[in-house]
Amino acid sequence: MEQRRAGVGLTGFASMPPVKATRPSAEELEVLLRIRGVLAGNPFALLTGAGLSTDSGIPDYRGPGSPPRSPMTYQEFIKDEANRQRYWARNHIGWSHLRHADPNQGHHAAAELERRGYLTGLITQNVDRLHEDAGSANVVDLHGRYDQVVCLQCRRTYSRRLLAGVLEELNPDFLSRAAESGLVEIAPDADATVEDQALISSFVVAVCPACGGTLKPDFVYFGENVPKERVERSYRMVDDAGALVVAGSSLTVMSGLRFVRHAAKDGKPVIIINRGETRGDDKATIKLDAGVSESLTWLAAELPHL
């Protein structure tokens, strides 16, 4: 049986080597000192995005240098059996090629900030569960989670690792044939680019073992709504906070941007830490264009005790 290291998530889709956080530059340190002044003694809500997990080796969708991507939408997935076959075939290849990701220093810094009482809650747009692996407890997985799948008919959930074994049994030589056909690229959502359409069309898709229904990864697709209870819980975290910190999100989608607008409307400071521009920059009290892991690590070390 495969032995897993302690603290390793069940995400299975990191494809870049992890990196160590570096120390902030002099210019970044100047902005961090301003951020410390706003947050000192002031519990805040933390919203994280893909830019936090890149240091764990998980590719970003929209960060600087990220290639353009066209992930399958929810509507495409549910309306067409051929689309589901293509999705699961490519996802099975991506899952098999990609290793498990470890939390990085930024995830551990967020957990430390929670232990010290600085967080009213943590809202993450990531589905990798690395915050939980690092020890964070009060987390809203806004877009769901990669370590399980859900039946769209009976709503039962199953382990993604278990499904991988089922797909292996249904398609015993599929991965070897895929290797022979050539793997072009692994995407951030465990998708894989495959040119061999005959290979894709041969794939046998698993169904729910309880009711025979359609299985779907238990995360929010593009074109799908975030469950209401997650949104309401996230708003409560922002309402209970004295400020909102955004770390590693471009805020391109409304699911995250709404909390920035909500905090700004209430007159609360909004701190944005991200490489590159974000859709919420006009609402930011302070914007820091810097690495997320090192910035959160610095804040966890330098914020005074409450």
Side-chain angles (χ1 to χ4, degrees), residues 10-11 13 95 127-128 144-148 160 188-190 219:
L10 293 173
T11 60
F13 61 97
W95 183 274
V127 296
D128 50 40
R145 46 193 290 183
Y146 260 94
D147 61 345
Q148 64 186 28
R160 179 61 181 84
D189 54 0
F219 62 86

Side-chain angles (χ1 to χ4, degrees), residues 22-305:
T22 57
R23 291 189 176 185
S25 67
E27 293 80 7
E28 293 167 351
L29 184 59
E30 181 179 347
V31 181
L32 281 168
L33 288 169
R34 291 171 52 206
I35 294 174
R36 185 180 67 176
V38 172
L39 298 180
N42 189 23
F44 58 91
L46 178 62
L47 170 65
T48 66
L52 178 58
S53 289
T54 53
D55 284 352
S56 292
I58 298 176
D60 196 353
Y61 263 114
R62 302 180 183 89
S66 298
R69 306 192 187 275
S70 299
M72 186 175 294
T73 67
Y74 178 72
Q75 290 74 19
E76 290 171 334
F77 182 85
I78 62 173
K79 76 178 182 179
D80 192 328
E81 184 178 351
N83 283 343
R84 293 193 292 274
Q85 181 186 49
R86 176 167 60 90
Y87 176 86
W88 281 116
R90 290 161 54 131
N91 182 272
H92 184 50
I93 296 170
W95 183 274
S96 71
H97 276 74
L98 300 173
R99 64 175 179 76
H100 296 291
D102 287 318
N104 61 52
Q105 293 183 39
H107 296 106
H108 290 294
E112 175 62 21
L113 286 166
E114 182 184 61
R115 282 191 291 270
R116 293 179 56 199
Y118 261 101
L119 298 190
T120 61
L122 197 163
I123 309 160
T124 185
Q125 295 175 289
N126 300 332
V127 296
D128 50 40
R129 303 281 289 176
L130 293 181
H131 279 299
E132 287 85 351
D133 286 341
S136 293
N138 189 19
V139 182
V140 174
D141 293 302
L142 195 63
H143 292 163
R145 46 193 290 183
Y146 260 94
D147 61 345
Q148 64 186 28
V149 296
V150 60
C151 174
L152 296 180
Q153 276 66 48
C154 70
R155 307 309 299 180
R156 288 180 172 87
T157 58
Y158 303 95
S159 162
R160 179 61 181 84
R161 182 183 288 273
L162 173 65
L163 178 63
V166 172
L167 292 175
E168 283 283 348
E169 293 181 3
L170 293 174
N171 304 275
D173 62 344
F174 183 82
L175 293 178
S176 60
R177 290 165 56 206
E180 293 172 0
S181 71
L183 179 66
V184 178
E185 181 188 15
I186 301 295
D189 54 0
D191 198 0
T193 303
V194 181
E195 301 297 334
D196 190 339
Q197 296 306 310
L199 176 69
I200 295 296
S201 63
S202 71
F203 190 78
V204 179
V205 178
V207 297
C208 174
C211 74
T214 299
L215 293 176
K216 170 189 166 293
D218 196 12
F219 62 86
V220 178
Y221 275 45
F222 288 89
E224 190 178 8
N225 293 324
V226 177
K228 183 179 179 180
E229 64 273 12
R230 295 181 200 165
V231 177
E232 291 177 344
R233 184 181 167 201
S234 299
Y235 274 128
R236 288 195 296 271
M237 291 176 172
V238 177
D239 288 339
D240 292 341
L244 173 64
V245 175
V246 179
S249 175
S250 63
L251 300 171
T252 301
V253 294
M254 184 55 68
S255 63
L257 181 62
R258 68 180 115 195
F259 303 116
V260 170
R261 291 179 173 176
H262 183 74
K265 183 179 178 180
D266 286 349
K268 296 179 179 181
V270 174
I271 311 297
I272 297 179
I273 304 170
N274 190 66
R275 291 286 189 194
E277 296 181 357
T278 83
R279 196 175 167 196
D281 285 355
D282 63 327
K283 304 294 184 185
T285 307
I286 303 176
K287 167 67 185 299
L288 173 59
D289 194 321
V292 179
S293 295
E294 52 262 42
S295 298
L296 288 180
T297 300
W298 188 92
L299 288 171
E302 296 297 329
L303 280 171
H305 292 289

